[in-house]
Amino acid sequence: MTPFLHECEWETNDERGHDNEVDRELSRSAELPFVLHPSLRSRVFARVNHLEGDVSEEVIYRKKDGDGATYKEYFAQTFDVLHTGQRSPPEIVIVKPKPDLIAGIPSFWLTSWRHLGIEHLSILPTTLSIMPPKALPEDLIFFVMTFLDATDIRSTALTCWSFYEIFKSPTIQYIYELQLDGMRDTVSMRSHAELLERLRDRRHAWEKLEWKDIYDVEIPSGLSAYEFVAGAFSRTNGTDFSVHWLPSHTESGHDIAHPSVGISIRDFAIDTTQDLVVFLEENQTSEGIRRMSLHCRTVSTNQIHPHAASGVMSFDIAPHEVYGNEVSAAELQIADDVLILFISTNPENRFLIWNWENGVQLYDSLDENESISDAIEDFNILQRSKLIITGIMNSCGVILIYDFSPTTPGPISLLAILELPFILPNYRVFTVGVHSGPLQRHPTPGTLFTPRSDTHIHTFTLSYIKDMRTGGLLSFKHYLLFVPSSVLLRYCEHDPSEAPSDVQWSTWGEHGSLLIGPRPSFQWLRYAHGPRVVLKSDDGNAIEVLDFSDANLQRAASSRQHDPTVVPVGDVFLDEIVTRLPHRRTVRKVEKDFFAYMIDEERIVGLNSLANTTEMQVFCF
């Protein structure tokens, strides 16, 4: 018995009196003609000659167009049909359907029949069609398995020994483990065997924090804005602009510097995989109108980006009769061809969305009768057409999930409201921030793997302040809430035309998140990338990485964090907060005490500010 199969030994069915050894022998030799999820084996995985009669009190079967039939009769007919060259085995109907039985049929069969061009197969509330494993040639089984997700690949591999042998091939192993790592292939044209070896080496290095190289890099100081995307650290002092590609284990670093970009830079967003940088310029006209302009340039030449229909997109902020029109904060984000800007002014905020390629403004909160802007604390792009907004719409804080068109102007639709935990009456929410890794349009050049967008981890910084009416000094507490994109995307299936879902913390929080704290708040951004987050350890002299991918979930269960994380009652929260999102925590001591860390798929970067430079130590994996 291989270690892999040992993890999912067949269960014993006491009603039949069969033991696990019998089932294992059957799986080796008989190639039983049904495929069901391992959790259902104790119910239906038995020897063909033991399945007699249709008198089961649990599930009774009959042929679709005839009288009741036994399993044995059905499978005999199935083999006869296949041997005569017909393409469809006879259908059977579950007279007393079991929902868990229907759900247990792997998508392997749906996928395989679809690629055969057969539309006959369907899984309806009362219809079930099953095909014997040996009915398909190995090359077709292999082909179909390349289209399955990791869960169905594993379920299929545990069906029988012939499927398991196909599962062991480098190609299927690579597809399977790549999905568990939360990554996708960058089409490097290398062999699957080599890619699998590199993937496993990469996983081991991150699990143990065993970096291969360390480089020291100095960056000019005087930062008014910065970014870290696709291995490139970008900075500006408001006039100049430079991009510094940091070294990796396989590539040396290099720089691009533009001493003057010709405008005054308030903020910028960048995606070096598109050779794109968008500068935000702020000017005031003689009439007192504040004009905000977005310049779409190339990183390499500082020229108008060739894919931008309009090199400059502008809008105005009229002065308020009391508060004026000063912009106190601005934040830009890019995802593919979508550009989102949030600006904070007094007395109201503003939220705008463009498609930077066609130059069309898709949304302006100023045009809404009931603006969302006033409720915004922070925002993050979830997908090209989805975004999350944090706010304090109640006393506890909320996460709002919105849908919008990335190509056509129109309103944005609120899909769901996820509520945060209840807090004690002597505390109030101060801020709710959110941050995740960048949504690059293309993989970072030179990399073999890149994170899937649905595996990104979103870090919510929950800051609370003690009510001053209770007396004493001003007291802040910060907690970190980690939520994967996959959890948030569940609520994107909601119909935008219907009222948004209002989801209580007790419904989604325990199994969909991890809450830790109190912890210091982050000093720099880009501390999250894909399914990983890098933290400064409590003692300051160690790197701490939280990994929320599913890699080695079966083989390394002992090294993953499965016990619930508990924040006790009476700290800030009204009730004890229990969260169970699986993750792996790894800590490694370092020689220097860095004030902040950044992370991407190939490196961790420690930062320290000196008099005239920003000192970086780059740990390469």
Side-chain angles (χ1 to χ4, degrees):
M1 178 63 66
T2 66
F4 185 90
L5 286 179
H6 183 70
E7 295 171 5
C8 292
E9 289 182 343
W10 313 146
E11 301 175 23
T12 302
N13 187 328
D14 295 333
E15 294 179 356
R16 314 193 307 259
H18 288 172
D19 60 19
N20 290 344
E21 188 60 35
V22 171
D23 284 336
R24 288 198 292 270
E25 284 302 316
L26 286 167
S27 68
R28 289 190 184 96
S29 57
E31 296 284 4
L32 292 185
F34 22 71
V35 179
L36 295 170
H37 192 276
S39 65
L40 300 175
R41 291 185 188 278
S42 62
R43 183 188 298 272
V44 294
F45 195 58
R47 288 181 296 188
V48 173
N49 62 8
H50 189 77
L51 295 167
E52 298 174 351
D54 58 351
V55 296
S56 168
E57 294 181 358
E58 298 245 38
V59 182
I60 299 177
Y61 297 90
R62 65 174 174 81
K63 289 182 292 185
K64 185 175 182 180
D65 54 355
D67 298 328
T70 65
Y71 274 114
K72 189 188 301 185
E73 291 170 345
Y74 168 72
F75 288 121
Q77 292 175 22
T78 298
F79 279 115
D80 289 342
V81 167
L82 292 168
H83 289 161
T84 58
Q86 299 182 34
R87 304 188 75 183
S88 302
E91 262 191 300
I92 58 175
V93 172
I94 303 176
V95 179
K96 296 180 180 179
K98 283 283 195 178
D100 60 341
L101 184 65
I102 297 291
I105 303 299
S107 64
F108 173 85
W109 298 108
L110 291 173
T111 308
S112 61
W113 282 57
R114 186 162 56 248
H115 284 286
L116 281 170
I118 301 173
E119 301 297 334
H120 168 76
L121 182 62
S122 61
I123 298 180
L124 302 174
T126 60
T127 303
L128 177 65
S129 296
I130 305 178
M131 192 174 183
K134 279 191 171 179
L136 296 176
E138 283 194 5
D139 57 347
L140 182 56
I141 295 172
F142 174 90
F143 176 70
V144 170
M145 287 179 76
T146 64
F147 289 89
L148 301 180
D149 62 28
T151 301
D152 287 327
I153 289 176
R154 188 172 187 275
S155 215
T156 301
L158 291 171
T159 299
C160 59
W161 283 99
S162 60
F163 280 21
Y164 177 60
E165 290 300 318
I166 297 172
F167 169 77
K168 291 193 298 182
S169 70
T171 297
I172 303 302
Q173 282 283 296
Y174 175 61
I175 294 171
Y176 174 71
E177 295 186 26
L178 191 70
Q179 290 188 42
L180 291 184
D181 281 356
M183 308 295 285
R184 61 184 176 90
D185 186 83
T186 61
V187 193
S188 62
M189 306 307 292
R190 299 172 185 253
S191 70
H192 287 147
E194 180 184 356
L195 288 170
L196 181 61
E197 181 181 358
R198 296 286 292 272
L199 182 68
R200 288 172 173 173
D201 176 70
R202 172 188 175 277
R203 183 190 310 132
H204 174 81
W206 278 103
E207 285 177 357
K208 305 297 183 183
L209 290 184
E210 293 179 352
W211 41 77
K212 296 177 173 63
D213 299 294
I214 300 177
Y215 298 98
D216 292 320
V217 178
E218 290 188 354
I219 303 294
S221 62
L223 307 180
S224 61
Y226 72 94
E227 260 290 8
F228 182 50
V229 177
F233 181 81
S234 312
R235 53 156 301 281
T236 181
N237 62 8
T239 302
D240 70 343
F241 177 70
S242 59
V243 183
H244 309 265
W245 277 268
L246 301 182
S248 69
H249 177 57
T250 57
E251 302 283 341
S252 59
H254 64 284
D255 304 329
I256 288 180
H258 301 292
S260 175
V261 297
I263 60 173
S264 176
I265 304 172
R266 171 64 191 258
D267 195 12
F268 71 92
I270 189 170
D271 183 353
T272 56
T273 70
Q274 300 187 73
D275 193 26
L276 170 69
V277 59
V278 180
F279 296 118
L280 175 64
E281 181 188 22
E282 178 182 350
N283 288 306
Q284 188 135 352
T285 68
S286 57
E287 294 81 14
I289 294 174
R290 194 171 299 273
R291 176 153 297 169
M292 311 296 289
S293 301
L294 295 155
H295 300 259
C296 299
R297 307 273 184 91
T298 60
V299 174
S300 54
T301 66
N302 190 37
Q303 301 299 310
I304 294 175
H305 198 284
H307 294 163
S310 174
V312 182
M313 301 172 292
S314 301
F315 66 97
D316 294 336
I317 305 174
H320 188 272
E321 57 184 9
V322 176
Y323 300 104
N325 57 3
E326 182 179 354
V327 176
S328 59
E331 182 178 358
L332 274 171
Q333 289 187 25
I334 296 173
D336 207 317
D337 56 351
V338 170
L339 174 67
I340 299 182
L341 170 65
F342 172 64
I343 56 173
S344 181
T345 61
N346 201 351
E348 63 179 2
N349 302 322
R350 197 164 172 184
F351 194 74
L352 304 101
I353 306 175
W354 288 267
N355 184 298
W356 67 266
E357 286 190 340
N358 60 31
V360 173
Q361 186 181 91
L362 304 174
Y363 174 78
D364 185 347
S365 62
L366 198 64
D367 300 332
E368 295 285 319
N369 292 328
E370 296 182 4
S371 175
I372 67 169
S373 301
D374 295 337
I376 294 178
E377 285 289 308
D378 203 352
F379 81 96
N380 211 16
I381 302 178
L382 183 58
Q383 283 187 339
R384 178 173 175 249
S385 62
K386 306 287 188 300
L387 65 96
I388 51 180
I389 289 174
T390 64
I392 310 177
M393 293 173 55
N394 58 19
S395 60
C396 305
V398 293
I399 301 170
L400 309 174
I401 304 177
Y402 282 90
D403 174 84
F404 64 93
S405 170
T407 56
T408 306
I412 65 176
S413 302
L414 179 60
L415 303 178
I417 304 170
L418 275 59
E419 299 193 5
L420 296 174
F422 291 115
I423 58 177
L424 294 170
N426 59 328
Y427 277 91
R428 62 181 176 87
V429 180
F430 184 67
T431 58
V432 181
V434 61
H435 182 63
S436 70
L439 289 174
Q440 301 169 199
R441 191 169 196 169
H442 306 294
T444 302
T447 59
L448 301 177
F449 327 105
T450 191
R452 300 197 321 267
S453 61
D454 63 318
T455 65
H456 281 215
I457 194 75
H458 298 263
T459 304
F460 297 85
T461 303
L462 312 182
S463 298
Y464 302 95
I465 184 172
K466 199 168 187 178
D467 196 329
M468 290 300 295
R469 289 174 298 180
T470 61
L473 297 175
L474 197 63
S475 175
F476 289 91
K477 288 190 176 181
H478 310 284
Y479 292 80
L480 303 180
L481 178 70
F482 304 98
V483 185
S485 285
S486 56
V487 170
L488 300 170
L489 289 170
R490 294 174 195 166
Y491 300 98
C492 293
E493 300 173 1
H494 183 81
D495 187 346
S497 64
E498 298 179 355
S501 302
D502 193 345
V503 189
Q504 301 291 318
W505 168 262
S506 57
T507 300
W508 77 273
E510 180 174 347
H511 294 280
S513 70
L514 170 69
L515 180 70
I516 62 174
R519 298 277 301 240
S521 59
F522 289 99
Q523 301 299 314
W524 279 50
L525 298 180
R526 294 309 178 208
Y527 51 81
H529 188 86
R532 293 191 183 91
V533 177
V534 62
L535 308 171
K536 184 176 180 179
S537 65
D538 292 334
D539 61 10
N541 291 319
I543 296 174
E544 179 180 346
V545 173
L546 301 181
D547 187 343
F548 295 88
S549 67
D550 287 332
N552 288 327
L553 186 58
Q554 299 297 324
R555 292 188 297 272
S558 60
S559 66
R560 292 183 64 91
Q561 180 69 42
H562 285 292
D563 294 333
T565 301
V566 179
V567 176
V569 64
D571 193 356
V572 166
F573 303 103
L574 188 62
D575 302 303
E576 181 181 75
I577 305 299
V578 178
T579 51
R580 304 176 186 272
L581 185 66
H583 64 283
R584 179 188 296 109
R585 175 179 178 269
T586 309
V587 179
R588 180 173 172 180
K589 291 284 186 180
V590 289
E591 294 180 0
K592 295 184 179 181
D593 182 8
F594 298 100
F595 77 86
Y597 290 99
M598 300 186 299
I599 189 173
D600 69 3
E601 64 257 43
E602 292 189 297
R603 52 183 77 76
I604 292 173
V605 182
L607 300 111
N608 273 324
S609 283
L610 303 178
N612 299 313
T613 61
T614 297
E615 180 187 72
M616 297 184 176
Q617 193 159 77
V618 185
F619 304 89
C620 301
F621 291 85

